[in-house]
Amino acid sequence: MTATQPKSTRSGKVYRAKVTGRHAITLPAELCRQLGVGVGDSVEFVLQDGVVTLTAQPIPHISSLRGILKPYFPDSESIREYLEEERAGWDEREAFHDQIWEGKWPKEEHSSE
């Protein structure tokens, strides 16, 4: 049995994975598909009475991140103001980058002094 060929039993499918020298394992692709686990997702292992249960962990809801910016912004209004300032110059910068990309560098005006 390889990691890609699960063994079927009465209670379900049995998958195997090898532990690397760094104690890492690679989950079989079929198992990941069944669990809905993708690259960068998290899983949880629960050890109880010598049996390990693996479950996919949901992506944290955005509300769980509340407070992460508190050391930098005292309230949501200050976050909104910061974002508006950052976005204010986007169109101008984008137009400038387009000129550079097209080889149309803005010409500097020289005085005749």
Side-chain angles (χ1 to χ4, degrees):
M1 173 172 64
T2 65
T4 58
Q5 299 170 341
K7 177 182 169 186
S8 293
T9 66
R10 289 183 193 173
S11 59
K13 292 185 178 181
V14 176
Y15 297 89
R16 287 197 178 163
K18 190 173 185 176
V19 179
T20 69
R22 299 180 86 181
H23 299 102
I25 61 170
T26 300
L27 299 176
E30 182 182 332
L31 178 62
C32 289
R33 283 190 293 273
Q34 289 181 8
L35 290 173
V37 175
V39 174
D41 290 347
S42 293
V43 295
E44 179 178 78
F45 297 91
V46 177
L47 174 61
Q48 185 175 13
D49 299 325
V51 176
V52 175
T53 305
L54 170 93
T55 53
Q57 294 300 295
I59 297 171
H61 191 270
I62 192 71
S63 64
S64 69
L65 301 175
R66 187 169 294 153
I68 198 168
L69 296 176
K70 197 167 192 157
Y72 309 101
F73 301 99
D75 54 27
S76 60
E77 181 65 22
S78 61
I79 294 172
R80 188 188 60 72
E81 289 172 2
Y82 173 78
L83 290 174
E84 284 180 4
E85 283 179 27
E86 286 297 307
R87 291 175 181 152
W90 283 3
D91 291 337
E92 184 178 308
R93 284 191 301 270
E94 193 66 30
F96 180 71
H97 291 149
D98 288 344
Q99 287 178 344
I100 292 172
W101 183 255
E102 294 168 3
K104 300 174 184 174
W105 293 82
K107 295 183 180 180
E108 295 181 24
E109 293 184 25
H110 297 286
S111 60
S112 56
E113 295 177 28

